[in-house]
Amino acid sequence: DGPALFKSKPCAACHSIDSKVVGPALKDVAAKNAAVKDAATTLASHIKNGTQGNWGPIPMPPNQVTDDEAKTLATWILTLK
């Protein structure tokens, strides 16, 4: 499930649920993407492949996750309020 997967991966080194660390708070990611079509697919791609420029100049590196793990994380992040 999402919370356990989040804790088992290096995500927490840069993200927390409620506040900005290096990257944005996961609740902020959820809010920004709440009305975005196919947000879970896009977020899963960002989690797996990395991204830059969505939240400022600091890049998010690719993560060692499977496609299913990335989708689980993305779907869970979008449920956060």
Side-chain angles (χ1 to χ4, degrees):
D1 80 318
L5 192 55
F6 174 74
K7 290 175 186 168
S8 75
K9 300 293 180 181
C11 310
C14 294
H15 296 279
S16 79
I17 292 174
D18 297 311
S19 60
K20 180 181 180 353
V21 182
V22 174
L26 298 182
K27 286 184 177 182
D28 292 341
V29 174
K32 182 176 180 178
N33 289 281
V36 175
K37 185 179 185 327
D38 298 323
T41 301
T42 301
L43 285 178
S45 174
H46 291 179
I47 291 166
K48 183 166 183 168
N49 303 313
T51 187
Q52 185 171 3
N54 292 326
W55 293 90
I58 298 173
M60 181 169 135
N63 288 279
Q64 296 298 313
V65 294
T66 66
D67 289 339
D68 286 343
E69 288 172 332
K71 186 75 166 189
T72 296
L73 285 164
T75 301
W76 169 68
I77 289 167
L78 290 170
T79 69
L80 301 173
K81 304 275 186 242

